Amino acid sequence: MIREADAIVVGGGLHGCSAALQLALRGLRVVVLERRHVGRHASGINAGGVRTLGRDLAEVPLSVLGMAYWHRLSELVGDDGGFTPCGQVKVAETHDELAGLEKRALAVRSLGMEHERVIDGDELRRRVPAIASHCVGAMVVDGDGAADPYRATSAFAARARSAGAQILEGEGVVGLERQPGGWLVVGERGRYRAPVVVNAAGAWAGRMASLAGDEFPLKTRASMMLVTERMPPFVEPVVGSVGRALSFKQSSAGTVIIGGGQQGRADLDREQAWVNVANLARSARAAAALFPVIRQARIVRSWCGIEAETPDRIPIIDHSPRAPGIVHVFGFSGHGFQLGPVCGVAVADLVTRGSTTLPIAPFSARRFAAAAKAA
Amino acid sequence: MSDRPFDLVVIGGGPAGLAAASQARQLGLSVALVDEQPAPGGQIYRAVERAEAEGRATALGEDYRHGLGLVRAFHECGATLFASHQAWQVEPGGRVFATDGKASRLIEGRRVLVAVGAIERPVPIRGWTLPGVMSVGAAQILHKTIGLVPDAGVWIAGSGPLTLHFAAEIVAAGGRIAGILDTAHGRLPETALRHLGGVVRGWRYVARGLGYLARLRMADVRRVSGVENVEALGEGRVERVRWRSGGQWQEAPASGLLLHEGVVPNTHMTMAIGCAHDWDEAQKCFRPRTDRFGMTDVEAILVAGDCGSIGGARVAECRGRLAALGAAASLGVISAAERDRLAGPVEAEVSAHGALRGFLDDLYAPAAELCVPPDDVMVCRCEGITAGRIREAASLGCRGPNQVKSFTRCGMGPCQGRMCGPTVTATLAAALGMTPQEVGAFRIRPPLKPLRLGELAALADAEAGE
Ligand SMILES: Cc1cc2nc3c(=O)[nH]c(=O)nc-3n(C[C@H](O)[C@H](O)[C@H](O)COP(=O)(O)OP(=O)(O)OC[C@H]3O[C@@H](n4cnc5c(N)ncnc54)[C@H](O)[C@@H]3O)c2cc1C
Ligand SMILES: Cc1cc2nc3c(=O)[nH]c(=O)nc-3n(C[C@H](O)[C@H](O)[C@H](O)COP(=O)(O)OP(=O)(O)OC[C@H]3O[C@@H](n4cnc5c(N)ncnc54)[C@H](O)[C@@H]3O)c2cc1C
């Protein structure tokens, strides 16, 4: 038996669930196919940073619009996803770094946006008393913050279900066949048909795209995180760094979560990733450089998540260049969590109207056409 | 950073690891042995050299003295010892990261033997998280290392050889206990009959068990058998213990309660490495899949001793020697024929010492309610998660421990599921009508035990020239 739908979403991460929710709210019959379970991969295990600060200029407009969804997440999905607008801070350790931040703030302002602000060392110490004394200033965004990734992703899934979407877990897509008026999606357990297929398969989105005939020059990122045991509260905002790969935040439970993009090793076939200890040690060292007290904290766990990375490190959010009815939304290159809620709207627009007024022009699928041909 | 790659890095200096190291040296391999204890000996021969020096080894028994020989042979074998070093990450290719509590170091092996022993099965009863309740194993460590003896108001509840052994040990050391609540539900005569062959071949062990019993009777230690539903009660700490036997509830004052329901393989390391594991229904635990020589499905990784399968100290020792043979052959140092020739007598020894295993497994199989506790019983102490919460997560669609963890935080605390893992798997399997094998176990990630951030950062400090 073939199950018929108006749209099929491949991937039950935040992006798949967000797209499914928006499509269901517009009255479409949506089926989400998720090979493992909702939030199993990047969306459920990331650092939870909800950050407009310091993004690629091409992403800033969409990211800033996206912030509104986080501030009103309860209205959208019935749960705040653990989101707290605790602010994000990007620390400069030298005057050169601080000058770089000033320059960056100007560039953002020239786009007509005022959210990023540069602060001096005194204000930095007032906001983050535990910061190492040599730090000279920072860039801050006050409305930014952090959320609980698994909880937020689950909330989108639950809300999508209540809006009528069917989310089938434990169903991996193994084939795509073009048919008159749409696509036949072949799963490990069943078959599905719809005029439109949304490719939100995260690290495996390149493989999904290949099934539809699209080739993209993607790499796989395997970003690592570590978490400490609970500590008394000592830092409120999420802290990043200009000169070091670092994201540092204390959860409401008191644990400190340290990431920043140091890389482990991914195996797409086994759907697993392994921590690289030498690289993890660099994260630890970076954290200790900014927060000396953290050297004494005990690490209880480290882990590694997998994601697709594009050559310019910004995503692809677009119709397939050559396969009508396929919409791609992937390649977030390490920072797609914050974009999840707004991208669902963009994808629903692409599916239901063919285009969107949201600022996604930089994320065209065609920008890699030349590279893909050459490859 | 690495001193030099060793042919074999052995993790764990119990009987398995010590025997493996000595055997591997005899075959000409370069060997490093890493153990978190200050001195080799492992669980059973813990601090054996110190006890000998202080004249306590004889009181601890003939077995303990056997360990002394093993430790002495190890010291003479020419292996490099990393004592007081905890291995917190082992990569599938053979890189071992260990810390001495200040800084981490990399110890590289062409082969790695995981010989980290057993851990006590969790005993999730009502009140087990009250202060004053601890495991028999923890109490035994206090006794072996600092000579601490429980006071006369302490009860021991549980089953398995260790409960009797420990009680006898305490009595021999001049201590007193309130009594033993024996929860073994296998009936001794029937079970013995079913395993008659094993019991006969393992008579030395049976005799030893009977010896413990006799010693306890002589010391007038109260022993209640057929005990079920043990509970610890009290405000702020354990004050009373309650149990059921012969259909009757009974209660007694208690200044402490020591629990023990047998041991299971410590599989955290092999799981973290990614070795395949199978559920062992007889011993109700996961164990790594290995061949006769302890080789796992990951080429560089071998397993020996109780972390592979519970067999006791003498079997662990044999398995260690077999693993050394396996490692040597896989490195091309000896031929397969030579390996098999040397293995023959060792395997015969294994079956002699292991004769009693089936009998013990049956006699001391843990009660169903301990594997799958009722709703109000705490399962994950770190995060305060009850069995009921796990069932609730199952009813909300969770199909495995990792999903339950994301859902409830169960297993996210400092112990990372080392305590609650088996209970979570069993509870979930029962709730879903699946087998433990299907449900699986918590994914284990480094560090294997909590590690100070500074100890990790030290690896990068060294690289940055600090
Ligand atoms: C460690 C780490 C930290 C991060 N920190 C941050 C941060 O702080 N802030 C931020 O904004 N972003 C962060 N990110 C990035 C962010 O997590 C991702 O960009 C985002 O979650 C991507 O969501 P997704 O839904 O596209 O992918 P995923 O969540 O990976 O979902 C893809 C899903 O598709 C499924 N799938 C794949 N192939 C198939 C198939 N053939 N059939 C069926 N299903 C399939 C997979 O099982 C998976 O569940 C981080 C990422 C990592 C790894
Ligand atoms: C709590 C407890 C008490 C026991 N008491 C008795 C008893 O009284 N009598 C008896 O006959 N049997 C007893 N046993 C069983 C007995 O310990 C085993 O049969 C036997 O010791 C198994 O030997 P092994 O070499 O496999 O492991 P073990 O002897 O347990 O040796 C494992 C060694 O590995 C080390 N280790 C573990 N993890 C790491 C790591 N990450 N890094 C570095 N080192 C590590 C440990 O410190 C230990 O020294 C007990 C078991 C337990 C768990």
Side-chain angles (χ1 to χ4, degrees), chain A residues 230 282 296-297 299 301-302, chain B residues 383 446 451-453 463:
Chain A
R230 292 178 183 189
R282 294 191 183 104
Q296 290 310 313
I299 302 168
R301 188 178 182 83
S302 63
Chain B
E383 299 290 332
L451 176 75
R452 287 198 194 282
L453 187 125
E463 172 190 83

Side-chain angles (χ1 to χ4, degrees), chain A residues 163-179:
Chain A
Q166 295 200 10
I167 302 181
L168 304 182
E169 295 173 292
E171 174 63 307
V173 173
V174 293
L176 274 181
E177 279 171 36
R178 184 113 172 240
Q179 293 199 334

Side-chain angles (χ1 to χ4, degrees), chain B residues 11-17 34-37 41-44 85-87 115-120 137 140 144 162 165 169 263 266 269 304-307 312-313 316 449:
Chain B
I11 306 174
V34 183
D35 197 299
E36 62 196 7
Q37 301 303 323
Q43 195 65 254
I44 171 168
H85 270 72
Q86 186 171 73
V116 294
I119 50 174
E120 290 180 279
Q140 190 185 36
K144 279 189 189 170
L162 184 60
H165 176 108
E169 207 174 282
V263 297
N266 177 359
M269 193 171 275
D306 276 2
C307 66
K449 294 198 182 148

Side-chain angles (χ1 to χ4, degrees), chain A residues 297-348:
Chain A
R298 295 202 302 170
I299 302 168
V300 299
R301 188 178 182 83
S302 63
W303 68 93
C304 192
I306 341 181
E307 213 192 347
E309 177 178 286
T310 63
D312 53 10
R313 297 198 170 195
I314 57 174
I316 294 168
I317 310 172
D318 197 1
H319 294 286
S320 155
R322 69 189 81 190
I326 301 284
V327 173
H328 295 304
V329 55
F330 63 83
F332 290 90
S333 310
H335 36 263
F337 182 62
Q338 189 268 347
L339 293 171
V342 69
C343 281
V345 178
V347 169

